[in-house]
Amino acid sequence: MQTYDIAVIGGGPAGYVAAIRASKEGKRVALIEADFVGGTCLNRGCIPSKTLLHSAGVIDQIRKASSWGIETGEVTVSLEKMMARKNQVITRLRTGITSLLKAGKIDLFQGFGEVNADKSIRVQIGEEVQTIQAGSIILATGSTPAVPPIPGLADVPFHTSDTIFDIEQVPESIAILGGGFIGVEFACIFASLGAKVTIVEMADRLIPLEDVDASGVLSKSLRSKGVTLGTGLKVTSVTKTSGGIQVNAENTKGDTQRVSCEALLVAVGRKPNLSAFSQLKLELSGPFVKVDEFLETSVPGIFAAGDLIGGWQLAHAASAEGQTAAINAAGGREKVNDRAVPRCIYTHPEISSVGLSEEEAKARGYAVKTSVYQHSGNGKALASDESGGFTKLIAEETYGEVLGIVMVGPHVTEMIAAGTAFLSLEATVDDVAEMIYPHPTVSESLMEVAEKWLGKGIHS
């Protein structure tokens, strides 16, 4: 039996980062991963989707180019080459992670790890079984796509985000169940590739957990791409037809609506992977593993991070949690600053946010004042022909503490890091307004919205 200071189960954004951090803390570390390192994010999520979204964005630009004075021929798309490039990006990043693990002298066990009741870990590697022991264990087993018990769904072929990246041809039509960030990103991809796309969402709007105005801009953009939006619809059944698949749904009035499609993508959320440690009988919070402020579970010496513990199921949040769990497993007492976790949606236009929404801030008892700056007055947005977005600032009215920021427009997923810094540093609206921003950039909208909030706007 091999013995380690810390063993990490799961090699995704929480797990491999935790392993590297633990190694840098001077600990002997084992990392156990049943599949490829990088987890869902690298292999079946963030990276492949953003690679395809970049291609989709280029297609959209080419189609608009004639209005900018650039004449092109007929646009043809090779899905095979797009997928090959996606695979190249994944392989390169996967190789990089493996190199980092080797540099940190971390032992990588590529097999399914299961924690026994005595806290030893059984690792199944092919036909071989190995057992390892560790002083502390970090659980980072991630999540898998949730598949709801819809009548008839099991009888038809359907995709989840685990399988959709392996399709070999663009379907003529596709229905996407779920209008959250996964669903709307795939809607952008398939609409740009020429498929007829229909989104079926139970809530009354897309991305229901994000800003309502951002949802409105996104809905308008998707409709302009030919995407059919079915919001306020509950799927009652799915049936196989001679021409493909039929999704049956009801609206809030009880009226039946039907969507016919060649392909079906189920993107209604994710569920945590719990099977690797069922013998520990950890305390749960709903479907997720319950942890304290130091990310320790109900069993001393067992820590957890990432999608497994709920909260924002985002790769960067998971990595921050993984680092914190590693430091604490090594004897520290650190906490994650979950007050300033940025959220990014890589649609066209992009959407990003950080902190509280206006509704959340009011619910927490803040006296709230909000201002909005429309990008129709922003020089860079106009020059880029992407002026339909906005920047919104939510702040505490008396002292001007920044509580939240929402941005919609080109490259705003890059710019929200500035908003994250404002919240992390407990900045005021005056701090945001007094900075000098480069011109012309969309980032200037942060200054504009802050000056507008203060009643001192030059262009607003």
Side-chain angles (χ1 to χ4, degrees):
M1 180 185 294
Q2 298 186 65
T3 302
Y4 295 87
D5 298 317
I6 297 174
V8 183
I9 301 180
Y16 86 78
V17 169
I20 293 172
R21 172 53 59 199
S23 174
K24 291 183 181 294
E25 294 293 314
K27 303 302 180 181
R28 185 167 186 243
V29 182
L31 176 63
I32 304 157
E33 170 54 56
D35 199 355
F36 294 111
V37 293
T40 294
C41 173
L42 173 53
N43 299 289
R44 300 175 298 280
C46 317
I47 301 303
S49 64
K50 276 51 181 184
T51 306
L52 296 180
L53 277 163
H54 177 75
S55 297
V58 172
I59 294 169
D60 291 345
Q61 285 196 320
I62 292 172
R63 287 173 177 159
K64 291 173 65 177
S66 61
S67 65
W68 306 337
I70 303 171
E71 300 296 337
T72 61
E74 182 181 353
V75 178
T76 58
V77 175
S78 170
L79 183 63
E80 181 181 0
K81 290 182 178 179
M82 287 175 61
M83 291 297 188
R85 178 176 175 273
K86 175 262 298 181
N87 291 335
Q88 289 172 358
V89 172
I90 292 172
T91 300
R92 181 169 179 173
L93 291 173
R94 194 187 287 157
T95 301
I97 293 172
T98 302
S99 298
L100 291 172
L101 296 174
K102 288 180 179 178
K105 297 181 180 180
I106 296 162
D107 289 345
L108 175 61
F109 293 81
Q110 293 199 284
F112 183 80
E114 185 174 9
V115 185
N116 298 317
D118 63 358
K119 297 185 185 179
S120 64
I121 303 171
R122 179 183 185 275
V123 186
Q124 182 81 42
I125 306 174
E127 298 298 320
E128 180 186 357
V129 175
Q130 295 188 34
T131 302
I132 66 175
Q133 193 82 42
S136 297
I137 298 172
I138 299 173
L139 304 174
T141 52
S143 62
T144 52
V147 178
I150 299 172
L153 183 60
D155 301 323
V156 303
F158 67 90
H159 288 284
T160 67
S161 56
D162 275 0
T163 64
I164 193 69
F165 292 111
D166 296 323
I167 63 168
E168 296 180 350
Q169 63 182 26
V170 179
E172 288 188 10
S173 59
I174 182 169
I176 300 174
L177 305 188
F181 71 93
I182 297 174
V184 294
E185 287 187 357
F186 277 113
C188 278
I189 292 170
F190 283 106
S192 296
L193 293 176
K196 180 182 178 183
V197 181
T198 302
I199 297 176
V200 181
E201 165 60 42
M202 184 179 293
D204 61 358
R205 62 182 178 90
L206 300 182
I207 51 171
L209 298 181
E210 292 296 335
D211 182 80
V212 64
D213 294 326
S215 175
V217 173
L218 177 60
S219 296
K220 181 179 178 180
S221 175
L222 287 172
R223 288 192 183 99
S224 73
K225 299 177 189 295
V227 177
T228 300
L229 307 182
T231 55
L233 294 178
K234 179 181 179 181
V235 178
T236 55
S237 65
V238 175
T239 55
K240 190 172 184 179
T241 65
S242 58
I245 300 168
Q246 180 174 284
V247 177
N248 305 301
E250 287 185 355
N251 61 21
T252 54
K253 297 180 181 179
D255 300 325
T256 300
Q257 297 192 22
R258 297 178 177 86
V259 178
S260 297
C261 56
E262 179 184 330
L264 177 64
L265 170 62
V266 178
V268 296
R270 302 184 65 83
K271 61 180 181 179
N273 296 325
L274 307 176
S275 61
F277 47 87
S278 58
Q279 294 186 49
L280 291 177
K281 302 188 185 306
L282 299 178
E283 186 177 350
L284 301 180
S285 177
F288 302 103
V289 172
K290 185 177 182 179
V291 293
D292 63 16
E293 57 188 340
F294 305 108
L295 301 184
E296 191 167 19
T297 70
S298 57
V299 176
I302 306 290
F303 297 80
D307 284 5
L308 190 61
I309 64 174
W312 293 109
Q313 292 182 306
L314 302 167
H316 46 278
S319 293
E321 292 163 359
Q323 290 210 53
T324 300
I327 291 169
N328 294 341
R333 298 291 282 176
E334 290 198 3
K335 303 175 185 178
V336 177
N337 177 16
D338 57 5
R339 177 176 180 269
V341 178
R343 286 104 57 195
C344 299
I345 303 174
Y346 297 81
T347 45
H348 304 134
E350 292 183 351
I351 298 170
S352 63
S353 59
V354 64
L356 303 176
S357 67
E358 185 174 0
E359 294 75 16
E360 288 171 330
K362 288 178 179 178
R364 295 191 185 189
Y366 288 102
V368 178
K369 179 181 174 182
T370 300
S371 66
V372 178
Y373 174 76
Q374 300 294 338
H375 292 176
S376 54
N378 180 269
K380 182 63 182 294
L382 283 164
S384 304
D385 197 11
E386 296 187 69
S387 60
F390 64 87
T391 296
K392 178 182 289 188
L393 175 65
I394 301 104
E396 192 278 326
E397 187 170 14
T398 305
Y399 301 103
E401 179 186 359
V402 177
L403 301 175
I405 293 174
V406 180
M407 303 184 77
V408 179
H411 312 300
V412 297
T413 56
E414 304 287 345
M415 299 174 216
I416 201 61
T420 305
F422 293 142
L423 267 77
S424 296
L425 297 172
E426 299 183 354
T428 66
V429 179
D430 289 281
D431 295 325
V432 180
E434 289 171 2
M435 283 180 55
I436 298 175
Y437 296 76
H439 174 79
T441 63
V442 179
S443 68
E444 290 175 280
S445 65
L446 289 165
M447 174 191 68
E448 298 284 1
V449 77
E451 289 184 340
K452 183 178 180 180
W453 192 96
L454 293 166
K456 301 177 181 179
I458 301 299
H459 301 102
S460 58

